[in-house]
Amino acid sequence: MNKIEKIKESTRLLSDRLSGEPEIGMVLGSGLSESLTPILDGVEELSWSKVPHFPQPTVEGHEGKYLIGTLFEKEVLIQQGRIHWYEGLPWDDVIYPVRVQKYLGIEKLIMTNAAGGINEGFSPGDLCLLTDHINFSGDNPLRGPNNDEFGPRFPDLSYAYDQELRNIATEAANQMGIDLQHGVYAMTSGPSYETPAEIEALRTLGADLVGMSTVPEVIAANHSGMEVLAISCVTNKAAGMQDKLTHEEVLEVTEKTNEKLGKLIGEIVKRI
Ligand code: HPA
């Protein structure tokens, strides 16, 4: 079975569980997977292990399941967890869930992640709207033969983070009194955190945040014509800007920020 046939088979099982064709899909990252649970109605859960051909995530805080539910009367598909490149799986696995969302008919993708703050003005617990990214992973998930059914050989990333969705998010945050930062996200491959010298280099290059995810999915989503909104939860000051970094701290801060993030996403969905 080839790649597209596998994706279509995964999509079929999921679409049987959906009542309609949701317009909005979501990917909730490290420790942030529960942010919407309190405000979702009619929730149905589906583990990735039940979906044929689905790659399985291996990281704590990444559960690998879908929630299907209604958020302010809009049916949404929420992907809890993601595959990171540092897990050692091929790029095709990392972007597999985004491909499935596309085949389900989803046109707007809201992504969240945990990130280190490089910008001196960012503090742990801040939320930051991504305006652009720097792919510092050293590779590209679209490398290899292009499949025209997904999208063009040379996709344009000039507007990788949709301006209209960003305006909606900014208005929603303003109305809610949430101080939403804006910034450029740099993706490193991980799994080690960066060195202070790497953070200095990234700052010089124009990065405000650093993390180990999101960029491959944003590239894949843009490749297939989806509109993307991405929000980082700043969980720590980047390497060299605080004493030391731990995954526990990342999870602790995301847990505390979940409620604010969930409410913001809810307000955004209401306005889409
Ligand atoms: N670096 C990379 N990834 C991260 C960080 C960081 O400082 N914080 C949360 N995810």
Side-chain angles (χ1 to χ4, degrees):
M1 191 180 270
N2 70 27
K3 200 162 46 177
I4 291 202
E5 285 165 351
K6 285 184 181 169
I7 291 170
K8 285 183 176 164
E9 203 167 287
S10 300
T11 305
R12 259 196 301 279
L13 183 124
L14 270 160
S15 68
D16 288 347
R17 305 289 285 266
L18 292 161
S19 56
E21 245 198 27
E23 185 198 6
I24 304 169
M26 295 184 207
V27 180
L28 302 181
S30 286
L32 300 165
S33 62
E34 296 302 334
S35 52
L36 286 163
T37 313
I39 52 172
L40 260 186
D41 290 321
V43 185
E44 231 198 291
E45 252 187 53
L46 180 63
S47 164
W48 289 10
S49 59
K50 303 253 167 56
V51 185
H53 315 301
F54 236 82
Q56 299 302 315
T58 60
V59 190
E60 193 195 336
H62 293 263
E63 298 160 55
K65 60 182 175 178
Y66 280 107
L67 296 184
I68 295 162
T70 310
L71 195 54
F72 297 109
E73 289 165 21
K74 293 194 175 104
E75 190 176 31
V76 290
L77 179 78
I78 299 176
Q79 179 186 319
Q80 289 188 321
R82 55 157 54 97
I83 310 283
H84 297 82
W85 194 41
Y86 62 71
E87 293 179 63
L89 299 169
W91 280 123
D92 275 346
D93 285 356
V94 176
I95 59 175
Y96 193 95
V98 170
R99 298 279 196 227
V100 169
Q101 297 218 31
K102 173 67 186 179
Y103 274 79
L104 281 166
I106 284 165
E107 293 298 338
K108 294 177 175 27
L109 199 54
I110 301 178
M111 290 190 219
T112 67
N113 63 39
I118 296 177
N119 188 316
E120 305 271 4
F122 292 1
S123 306
D126 280 357
L127 296 179
C128 179
L129 190 64
L130 303 200
T131 56
D132 206 341
H133 74 227
I134 298 172
N135 180 2
F136 213 62
S137 72
D139 205 348
N140 191 297
L142 305 180
R143 193 165 67 83
N146 187 57
N147 195 317
D148 295 343
E149 195 173 321
F150 293 137
R153 168 75 293 186
F154 300 109
D156 180 18
L157 293 183
S158 303
Y159 308 98
Y161 299 84
D162 186 75
Q163 185 63 56
E164 204 175 312
L165 290 177
R166 275 157 54 191
N167 292 345
I168 290 173
T170 306
E171 282 159 20
N174 281 346
Q175 198 219 310
M176 296 171 80
I178 292 175
D179 200 5
L180 185 62
Q181 308 278 13
H182 287 53
V184 174
Y185 175 92
M187 180 210 175
T188 54
S189 68
S192 58
Y193 288 115
E194 302 70 36
T195 62
E198 285 165 347
I199 294 302
E200 260 321 300
L202 288 171
R203 177 180 296 115
T204 307
L205 291 174
D208 297 295
L209 301 149
V210 62
M212 306 172 192
S213 70
T214 309
V215 166
E217 294 130 299
V218 171
I219 293 173
N222 274 272
H223 183 221
S224 53
M226 297 163 93
E227 292 163 11
V228 172
L229 178 77
I231 301 172
S232 288
C233 168
V234 179
T235 53
N236 54 279
K237 285 182 175 283
M241 299 170 68
Q242 67 172 49
D243 196 20
K244 60 186 176 64
L245 310 186
T246 64
H247 185 55
E248 287 66 37
E249 180 194 10
V250 169
L251 291 179
E252 207 176 290
V253 176
T254 49
E255 205 168 298
K256 286 192 198 139
T257 318
N258 259 331
E259 193 182 336
K260 176 166 72 168
L261 179 61
K263 285 189 178 149
L264 175 61
I265 294 178
E267 187 62 34
I268 292 168
V269 167
K270 212 193 278 181
R271 290 161 178 257
I272 288 177

